[in-house]
Amino acid sequence: MVLEAGVMVWSQVTDLPFSLYSTFVIEARHGFNKQTIWLFFRDMFKGICLAILLGPPIVAAIIIIVQKGGPYLAIYLWAFMFALSIVMMTVYPILIAPLFNKFTPLPEGELREKIEKLAASLKFPLKKLFVVDGSTRSSHSNAYMYGFFKNKRIVLYDTLIQQCKNEEVVAVIAHELGHWKLNHTVFSFIAVQILTFMQFGGYTLVRNSSDLYLSFGFKTQPVLIGLIIFQHTVIPIQHLVSFGLNLVSRAFEFQADAFGKKLGYGKALRAGLVKLQEENLSAMNTDPWYSAYHYSHPPLVERLAALEDLESKKED
Ligand SMILES: [Zn+2]
């Protein structure tokens, strides 16, 4: 526990100059930063409090599971993480996200009507439609959805609504709903579960190897150290996996774009994507090797070309 707290305090202290520089120098230089230094430290303080509140019980639970796990340890650890992620997915939007941002229902009007109509036409169980005050911190814009089964919510950044026309916002949501309709969200969730299980499986195989601990200078075998060492040893594999996942994710982006296009939002989606790219000052001309490895989303030019391609095919 002391070790964990020490690592956390140390990383907070060493990261601080970098995150201050990133927010108040780099982001500010490009006109994105909208937050005050007071807000920055308030967020940091809340984050630390949450970590103090949530961290120790979770780590303690993992250590107990490892100590009592036996041969089926991987299954128990996976089951614990699965339950934890379900709890966090439920609790996060209700209790944690509101600590940092203000969520207000999207007011009645044209935009709300259009989004509700779109959701109804796809049988998307839209329960709540929020606007989040992203603009108090930065002018980066976005939209996302979350929730289980019949209880879905869509969150729009207020910056997105300010930057785009209604039709373009709806087109961006049509793209997001494409991810849902085409089961991309389910796929990602299952992929993460399988990867988590494999990782714990690997850990179970080596956790009693004294060589592993010795090679890092540990004569005893503390549970937490074993987990941390294992985490670090599999980093090369994790890079391969994330490369694979990025490949899949980029294919999904094209599919979701095509889905939006099929619903008749091709033109608005293209306009919306261009605007978001401009407003967020994203790189326009990325190196193909760099983007193939690092990007979960295809470069804008490729997405626009694919959308135009679909459109011209329809005219033939
Ligand atoms: Zn997408």
Side-chain angles (χ1 to χ4, degrees), residues 209-222 225 229:
S209 136
S210 50
D211 288 344
L212 178 70
Y213 293 86
L214 267 179
S215 54
F216 284 87
F218 289 94
K219 295 207 171 59
T220 52
Q221 302 185 359
I225 299 294
I229 292 176

Side-chain angles (χ1 to χ4, degrees), residues 62 77 81 195-204 206-207 212-213 216 223-239:
I62 291 176
L77 280 175
M81 291 311 279
L195 288 169
T196 313
F197 182 72
M198 282 167 53
Q199 209 164 1
F200 285 138
Y203 167 70
T204 311
V206 299
R207 71 184 166 121
L212 178 70
Y213 293 86
F216 284 87
V223 172
L224 203 56
I225 299 294
L227 278 165
I228 293 173
I229 292 176
F230 181 74
Q231 269 284 319
H232 283 262
T233 345
V234 293
I235 283 175
I237 305 174
Q238 278 171 347
H239 279 285

Side-chain angles (χ1 to χ4, degrees), residues 15-303:
D15 284 347
L16 185 60
F18 295 102
S19 56
L20 277 172
Y21 187 80
S22 152
T23 309
F24 292 100
V25 180
I26 300 178
E27 290 279 289
R29 184 184 297 155
H30 299 285
F32 285 127
N33 182 43
K34 297 283 180 270
Q35 67 178 326
T36 55
I37 194 102
W38 151 245
L39 194 60
F40 179 89
F41 279 106
R42 206 184 62 183
D43 282 356
M44 196 176 105
F45 177 72
K46 286 182 189 169
I48 293 173
C49 288
L50 272 175
I52 292 171
L53 209 68
L54 299 176
I58 293 173
V59 175
I62 291 176
I63 292 177
I64 292 171
I65 295 171
V66 171
Q67 282 166 344
K68 310 211 160 168
Y72 299 116
L73 176 64
I75 298 175
Y76 300 143
L77 280 175
W78 167 78
F80 173 73
M81 291 311 279
F82 178 77
L84 184 67
S85 66
I86 299 284
V87 171
M88 285 310 282
M89 280 158 78
T90 316
V91 169
Y92 185 84
I94 305 169
L95 293 177
I96 299 179
L99 286 177
F100 297 93
N101 280 100
K102 220 167 89 195
F103 293 81
T104 40
L106 181 67
E108 297 292 333
E110 192 203 334
L111 182 60
R112 193 182 180 99
E113 263 167 45
K114 281 187 169 168
I115 294 172
E116 281 173 347
K117 225 173 99 189
L118 171 68
S121 73
L122 297 170
K123 298 200 169 58
F124 179 80
L126 178 62
K127 279 282 140 63
K128 290 202 169 118
L129 186 49
F130 290 116
V131 181
V132 62
D133 64 337
S135 60
T136 51
R137 284 174 180 76
S138 106
S139 48
H140 286 296
S141 44
N142 212 338
Y144 61 93
M145 55 171 178
Y146 65 89
F148 299 111
F149 310 109
K150 300 258 164 267
N151 189 14
K152 304 267 192 226
R153 292 130 197 254
I154 292 178
V155 178
L156 301 172
Y157 275 51
D158 55 356
T159 37
L160 179 74
I161 302 173
Q162 289 153 15
Q163 291 162 1
C164 290
K165 289 187 196 138
N166 280 354
E167 186 69 9
E168 292 158 4
V169 176
V170 181
V172 169
I173 292 176
H175 165 102
E176 288 301 321
L177 294 185
H179 284 307
W180 164 78
K181 194 79 176 175
L182 301 168
N183 290 323
H184 295 166
T185 26
V186 177
F187 173 90
S188 311
F189 186 76
I190 293 175
V192 168
Q193 296 310 316
I194 294 174
L195 288 169
T196 313
F197 182 72
M198 282 167 53
Q199 209 164 1
F200 285 138
Y203 167 70
T204 311
L205 291 178
V206 299
R207 71 184 166 121
N208 290 323
S209 136
S210 50
D211 288 344
L212 178 70
Y213 293 86
L214 267 179
S215 54
F216 284 87
F218 289 94
K219 295 207 171 59
T220 52
Q221 302 185 359
V223 172
L224 203 56
I225 299 294
L227 278 165
I228 293 173
I229 292 176
F230 181 74
Q231 269 284 319
H232 283 262
T233 345
V234 293
I235 283 175
I237 305 174
Q238 278 171 347
H239 279 285
L240 276 177
V241 169
S242 86
F243 174 64
L245 286 178
N246 276 346
L247 277 179
V248 175
S249 161
R250 286 198 298 268
F252 283 173
E253 290 310 315
F254 284 121
Q255 288 175 10
D257 282 348
F259 181 86
K261 157 83 190 58
K262 225 165 66 191
L263 293 178
Y265 293 103
K267 214 172 148 202
L269 185 56
R270 276 191 288 151
L273 287 174
V274 170
K275 245 179 224 173
L276 289 185
Q277 186 93 358
E278 282 171 1
E279 295 285 350
N280 288 310
L281 298 180
S282 312
M284 288 286 183
N285 189 11
T286 47
D287 177 71
W289 286 84
Y290 183 87
S291 72
Y293 182 74
H294 289 282
Y295 284 13
S296 64
H297 282 55
L300 177 69
V301 185
E302 283 178 34
R303 290 176 74 177

